[in-house]
Amino acid sequence: MIKKVVLAYSGGLDTSVIIPWLKENYRCEVIAMAGDVGQGEELHGLHEKATKTGASQLYVEDLREEFVRDYIWPTLRAGAVYERKYLLGTSMARPILAKRQVEIALREGADAVAHGCTGKGNDQVRFELTYKALAPHLKVIAPWREWSIKSREDAIDYAQKKNIPITATKEKIYSEDRNIWHISHEGGVLEDPASEPEESMWKLTTSPEKAPDEARYVAIEFERGTPVGIDGKKLPPVELVSLANKIGGEHAIGRIDLVENRLVGIKSRGAYETPGGTLIVQAHRELESICLDKETLRLKDQLAIKYADLVYNGQWFTPIREALDGFVEATQKTVTGSVRLKLYKGNIIVAGRKSPYSLYREDLATFGEEAVYNQKDAEGFINLFGLPVKVQALAERSRK
């Protein structure tokens, strides 16, 4: 018998209807937990809303610093990008929310944890894998897999019937998820991959047409692969990402439109805005290009795909992710320096890279006169490197 459940609560449509549904169907105490990972004004008025719909109390946890430091930065250092485009904003946020939810459940002596994720999406996996890793004895309640509500329209009808205040309507039915790293948009016209996103949908970025007519230069500084400053000023993690978002958003940076492969096997279409993250990721790549040797960089790029899959699939609290972090940390020892970017109407143009650990040597790369590289050495190298090609050609010639 369930006596007390802790619900991951956002105040959106799904979790708003879940509180009365849990009380009605499980006859248990419901404690709501909202994690502040940078949603901003979305958190306003949550306490009154949660208690009015039946929650005994609401925890609002400020997780922004931890989110950037312990989830965003490791993913950035790994170079993890899902399916060529997605910078994993929502994927990274779920483990930290579920982790704090579990901590509160254990503190409160709860029997169960609950979430508002649908049975079609990735988030149910991300939440529940975290539960299993950190508190496998807790019962998991996933209303979308139990109740008779089959769509967001049904959920709106249920909310209206129960007099639950919501902002979603049947006319405007985008599903949005926001945090300090990005905002995602799904549903509505986006469900047709042939349809262009409506301009009114975008929240963090101006359109290229309305972006400034003058380019903006920005320099991002790193220490051991971690961003530490912008334009010569050292900044703590949350302030750094917020400033990067402001700069990138003003110059139409960070819009992507992606048809992605969900973990459950469904293709879905989403639009993502990650203005600051796009700048930081680009700068980090450019700094690695002068600080890492060829073989290390190639292997790191291969493992970055695996790291992205782990994050996307909710496998944050796993031995393999921790092992990959060990490899990444070793590669980042020399990734210190700064990268200068030129921003213009949605474009990022690299304007310079520098590092005290740079492997680039002008005396080797120059086309001018130099005394370090003996060009005559190239002949022997080419003879050995091309030997298999030569042998193959001679063998074919002898058979004719």
Side-chain angles (χ1 to χ4, degrees):
M1 179 179 178
I2 302 300
K3 295 181 180 179
K4 186 185 296 186
V5 58
V6 176
L7 169 68
Y9 181 75
S10 67
L13 172 62
D14 297 339
T15 56
S16 293
V17 300
I18 284 174
I19 293 177
W21 184 88
L22 284 171
K23 292 176 68 68
E24 190 176 293
N25 289 271
Y26 281 87
R27 303 193 179 279
C28 61
E29 178 185 355
V30 179
I31 297 172
M33 188 286 298
D36 182 0
V37 286
Q39 302 95 308
E41 61 186 26
E42 293 178 18
L43 295 169
H44 296 169
L46 280 192
H47 186 271
E48 181 181 6
K49 189 174 184 180
T51 53
K52 274 189 174 180
T53 52
S56 61
Q57 59 178 309
L58 169 70
Y59 284 88
V60 178
E61 305 285 293
D62 188 350
L63 305 175
R64 292 173 298 168
E65 183 86 13
E66 181 183 354
F67 179 41
V68 178
R69 183 190 66 235
D70 296 342
Y71 295 78
I72 293 177
W73 287 166
T75 305
L76 164 75
R77 289 192 294 263
V81 176
Y82 186 71
E83 296 191 338
R84 304 173 181 171
K85 290 184 178 181
Y86 177 37
L87 300 186
L88 297 164
T90 297
S91 308
M92 292 184 290
R94 297 319 187 217
I96 188 174
L97 292 172
K99 173 176 172 284
R100 189 53 56 92
Q101 182 186 3
V102 165
E103 291 168 350
I104 291 172
L106 296 177
R107 185 192 315 162
E108 291 284 345
D111 313 288
V113 285
H115 61 74
C117 311
T118 72
K120 286 185 176 181
N122 304 302
D123 282 341
Q124 58 181 335
V125 182
R126 296 165 184 157
F127 271 97
E128 293 185 35
L129 260 60
T130 301
Y131 301 155
K132 292 179 185 299
L134 304 181
H137 63 286
L138 292 176
K139 178 177 173 55
V140 177
I141 302 174
W144 272 100
R145 303 202 297 255
E146 296 183 29
W147 61 19
S148 58
I149 295 174
K150 300 300 181 185
S151 65
R152 290 178 64 80
E153 288 84 356
D154 288 349
I156 290 171
D157 289 338
Y158 183 91
Q160 292 171 344
K161 187 184 301 182
K162 297 289 183 178
N163 295 316
I164 300 169
I166 56 172
T167 57
T169 66
K170 294 181 181 180
E171 288 73 35
K172 185 181 179 182
I173 207 158
Y174 283 122
S175 174
E176 297 179 343
D177 184 82
R178 182 173 186 167
N179 60 47
I180 195 170
W181 192 240
H182 87 160
I183 183 169
S184 66
H185 312 271
E186 291 181 315
V189 299
L190 295 176
E191 291 186 349
D192 179 1
S195 297
E196 181 180 7
E198 298 170 327
E199 184 59 37
S200 61
M201 179 197 72
W202 303 105
K203 299 292 193 300
L204 301 180
T205 55
T206 189
S207 67
E209 294 87 350
K210 295 181 179 179
D213 292 329
E214 292 187 9
R216 161 71 144 94
Y217 287 88
V218 58
I220 303 177
E221 300 168 40
F222 296 82
E223 290 180 4
R224 297 173 71 93
T226 298
V228 294
I230 292 179
D231 290 336
K233 182 180 180 181
K234 300 291 186 182
L235 294 168
V238 173
E239 289 182 31
L240 190 150
V241 174
S242 298
L243 178 57
N245 275 332
K246 181 176 183 297
I247 295 170
E250 288 173 352
H251 290 270
I253 304 296
R255 292 184 178 186
I256 71 162
D257 184 339
L258 173 66
V259 176
E260 68 195 63
N261 291 290
R262 289 181 180 173
L263 175 60
V264 296
I266 298 172
K267 282 189 180 290
S268 67
R269 194 268 190 101
Y272 299 95
E273 296 178 85
T274 320
T278 301
L279 297 181
I280 294 168
V281 167
Q282 181 68 47
H284 182 258
R285 286 174 178 166
E286 294 299 326
L287 189 57
E288 284 189 326
S289 75
I290 61 171
C291 294
L292 298 185
D293 65 275
K294 176 181 176 179
E295 294 303 323
T296 300
L297 184 58
R298 293 286 178 88
L299 180 57
K300 185 172 182 291
D301 283 346
Q302 293 173 37
L303 293 177
I305 296 174
K306 180 62 177 178
Y307 201 106
D309 283 343
L310 292 172
V311 177
Y312 188 84
N313 295 342
Q315 296 170 293
W316 187 269
F317 296 103
T318 57
I320 187 171
R321 201 271 306 169
E322 293 177 4
L324 286 177
D325 274 345
F327 168 80
V328 171
E329 185 178 352
T331 70
Q332 300 299 289
K333 290 178 180 178
T334 60
V335 185
T336 294
S338 66
V339 174
R340 191 164 179 250
L341 303 173
K342 181 180 180 180
L343 315 181
Y344 184 70
K345 293 187 179 295
N347 295 289
I348 303 176
I349 304 159
V350 180
R353 326 152 182 80
K354 61 181 179 180
S355 168
Y357 301 100
S358 175
L359 300 177
Y360 180 89
R361 289 188 56 174
E362 189 174 351
D363 56 354
L364 284 173
T366 181
F367 283 97
E369 185 177 352
E370 40 77 28
V372 178
Y373 185 90
N374 186 347
Q375 297 194 29
K376 292 182 179 180
D377 292 342
E379 182 179 353
F381 165 75
I382 294 170
N383 286 336
L384 292 176
F385 186 68
L387 186 57
V389 177
K390 182 178 180 180
V391 170
Q392 180 72 26
L394 289 172
E396 291 179 359
R397 186 176 181 182
S398 67
R399 288 194 294 266
K400 291 181 180 178

